[in-house]
Amino acid sequence: MLELKPIINALLRSKVGAVLAILQLALTLAIVSNSLSIISERVSYLNKPTGYPEESIITFSVMSFDDKVDANQQLIVDERILKSIPGVIEAVGVSSVPLSGGGSNSGFSLTPEDDGKHTNSGHLYANEQVIRTLGVKLIEGRDFTSGDVLISSEYAKQPDVVIASKAFTDEIFGEGKGLGETIYYGGGPLKVVGIVERMTNAWPRFRNADRLIIFPMVNANGFQDFLVRTDPSLRGEVMKKIESVLLQENPNRVITNMKGLDEVKERYNSKDILMLRMLLVLITALVVVTALGIFGLTQFNISKRTKQIGTRRALGARKSAIVRYFVVENLIVCAIGLILGTVATVFLGQKLMSLYSVPPLEVSYILITALGLIVLCIASVIFPAKKAANISPSIATRSV
């Protein structure tokens, strides 16, 4: 027998404590559910493959102060020098570095007038060595050849062909299509000669992160980015040698921003990683505070009802009945808190979705959090309830 009526009457006599516990549970459910959803989405994002062997790739920049040097010719020389370093598999100069948060993003269309289907995509410029340097998987078509590469100082000119990621061709041409088709950029046609399984552009956090187009074009300047693919076990050794061999060839320049592509990605994601840690701390703090709150409420109720408990024990109530009484009382508080919390959770989830474009909150996160809070409520009340059950019936006798 659950003795609901006396339990409810007892709660009504201690409204303040019960209301505070209900609000605390509701707030915990709302915040923890939405935090778990955000953490899950961020963890999936951080673990999402980029298509690159990040631990094998080095990126760095060269800033040249020698105006007499032909930048495009210097680029070719530098690539040859880099490939001569033991452990280097391939090297290429690029207009921007994938995963770095900086690069080019433009609209591509199916008609020269730009009034047809239009799709945005990141893009970069490099020569025929770029696919091998990036280590991406070409699933359809062919790689660039030296004959495809346009060397020009004018961005108004553009090559005839491109290689695109599958995410881009699927988006603009439809699933499984795109090889040999033509897209238009700035009114000029570009034939898709190759499709890569996965290539992440410069902004992994963006919705179109998997869309990347590579132009076989070289337009080097005084500030040039490089990518170097190495044997993973020798990447550290190669890093140490790059600056010295390049400055030995031409000392009138500075080598900067040397790091692994995995470090570039980690730096780009640093805010997400910090947010995950803060959310984990917040969840832990909320759960601990909630547990202490329920524990404290039960202790408070017991201290107020010592006489009542003693009387019940004197009238023959068993210890298990006393424990059950407080467990049921806390479950009633917990149930009301969870009902209110569910409403608050949905409201908060919708607000976060509209303000910060977080994914919709799945019901499973609410259920998991609610189940956890129920277990927490029961665990938090067991010890003080057992303590109450040990109150001697003589206390009631002495109090009369």
Side-chain angles (χ1 to χ4, degrees):
M1 188 173 178
L2 296 180
E3 304 172 300
L4 289 179
K5 188 174 180 180
I7 291 175
I8 293 173
N9 289 335
L11 287 174
L12 291 175
R13 286 195 295 272
S14 304
K15 288 193 273 299
V16 176
V19 169
L20 288 176
I22 288 170
L23 291 177
Q24 189 174 22
L25 284 163
L27 187 64
T28 302
L29 178 62
I31 294 177
V32 173
S33 296
N34 282 283
S35 297
L36 287 176
S37 175
I38 294 172
I39 288 174
S40 175
E41 190 271 335
R42 289 292 89 183
V43 169
S44 297
Y45 157 70
L46 291 173
N47 291 325
K48 183 180 178 182
T50 61
Y52 311 119
E54 298 154 25
E55 293 77 14
S56 302
I57 297 177
I58 300 168
T59 174
F60 62 93
S61 304
V62 177
M63 186 180 297
S64 177
F65 302 101
D66 192 345
D67 296 333
K68 297 178 182 177
V69 172
D70 183 322
N72 288 330
Q73 287 301 318
Q74 183 67 61
L75 177 69
I76 296 172
V77 173
D78 288 342
E79 289 176 346
R80 187 173 65 245
I81 292 173
L82 290 168
K83 285 191 283 187
S84 70
I85 300 175
V88 171
I89 298 172
E90 191 59 276
V92 68
V94 290
S95 60
S96 60
V97 177
L99 317 182
S100 65
S104 300
N105 188 81
S106 300
F108 297 82
S109 64
L110 293 179
T111 61
E113 293 79 19
D114 202 24
D115 56 356
K117 187 172 182 179
H118 185 275
T119 300
N120 284 324
S121 173
H123 59 91
L124 62 83
Y125 300 87
N127 62 23
E128 73 277 11
Q129 295 155 192
V130 64
I131 297 298
R132 294 190 298 278
T133 306
L134 289 173
V136 292
K137 185 178 180 182
L138 195 64
I139 56 174
E140 288 187 68
R142 63 170 176 85
D143 198 352
F144 291 135
T145 66
S146 58
D148 295 323
V149 179
L150 172 66
I151 301 177
S152 174
S153 300
E154 300 178 35
Y155 277 114
K157 295 182 178 178
Q158 62 183 38
D160 300 323
V161 299
V162 292
I163 289 178
S165 65
K166 187 174 186 299
F168 173 81
T169 54
D170 284 349
E171 176 65 25
I172 195 166
F173 294 111
E175 181 75 26
K177 301 177 181 176
L179 183 64
E181 301 287 350
T182 299
I183 56 174
Y184 291 85
Y185 175 61
L190 298 163
K191 184 179 180 181
V192 180
V193 296
I195 297 177
V196 170
E197 182 179 43
R198 183 186 296 275
M199 285 193 298
T200 304
N201 61 34
W203 304 275
R205 197 181 296 113
F206 285 13
R207 190 168 299 172
N208 65 349
D210 291 335
R211 298 180 207 161
L212 179 61
I213 294 175
I214 300 179
F215 290 72
M217 181 174 176
V218 175
N219 183 4
N221 51 49
F223 187 85
Q224 179 63 51
D225 290 322
F226 281 87
L227 295 173
V228 179
R229 185 179 168 203
T230 71
D231 182 324
S233 63
L234 298 175
R235 192 177 74 166
E237 294 300 318
V238 173
M239 271 188 175
K240 294 176 184 176
K241 296 177 181 176
I242 286 177
E243 182 172 4
S244 61
V245 297
L246 290 181
L247 293 183
Q248 186 177 5
E249 197 282 329
N250 182 353
N252 298 320
R253 50 188 179 168
V254 176
I255 313 300
T256 63
N257 300 325
M258 186 167 310
K259 53 179 72 74
L261 192 60
D262 51 341
E263 295 173 275
V264 173
K265 179 185 174 184
E266 186 177 347
R267 184 175 181 180
Y268 178 85
N269 292 328
S270 59
K271 291 182 180 177
D272 296 275
I273 295 171
L274 176 62
M275 181 184 71
L276 284 182
R277 291 172 178 168
M278 292 178 67
L279 286 176
L280 287 173
V281 171
L282 176 65
I283 289 174
T284 304
L286 267 176
V287 170
V288 170
V289 169
T290 302
L292 291 176
I294 296 169
F295 181 85
L297 175 65
T298 308
Q299 286 280 46
F300 178 71
N301 287 337
I302 290 172
S303 66
K304 285 181 62 179
R305 302 176 198 167
T306 302
K307 178 182 173 182
Q308 175 193 345
I309 296 169
T311 302
R312 291 194 62 194
R313 293 280 289 126
L315 293 175
R318 303 177 65 178
K319 291 183 178 182
S320 59
I322 302 297
V323 172
R324 185 172 62 245
Y325 176 92
F326 285 103
V327 170
V328 172
E329 182 180 272
N330 274 275
L331 285 178
I332 291 174
V333 171
C334 182
I336 298 173
L338 294 183
I339 292 171
L340 292 177
T342 300
V343 177
T345 301
V346 174
F347 176 77
L348 180 60
Q350 289 177 342
K351 278 293 179 185
L352 290 173
M353 192 168 60
S354 63
L355 294 176
Y356 302 104
S357 300
V358 299
L361 176 66
E362 295 180 11
V363 176
S364 59
Y365 292 107
I366 302 177
L367 295 176
I368 291 171
T369 307
L371 182 61
L373 287 175
I374 292 172
V375 173
L376 182 69
C377 284
I378 295 174
S380 299
V381 79
I382 287 295
F383 176 75
K386 284 186 175 179
K387 187 178 177 182
N390 289 326
I391 291 176
S392 171
S394 62
I395 291 179
T397 305
R398 286 198 298 269
S399 301
V400 173

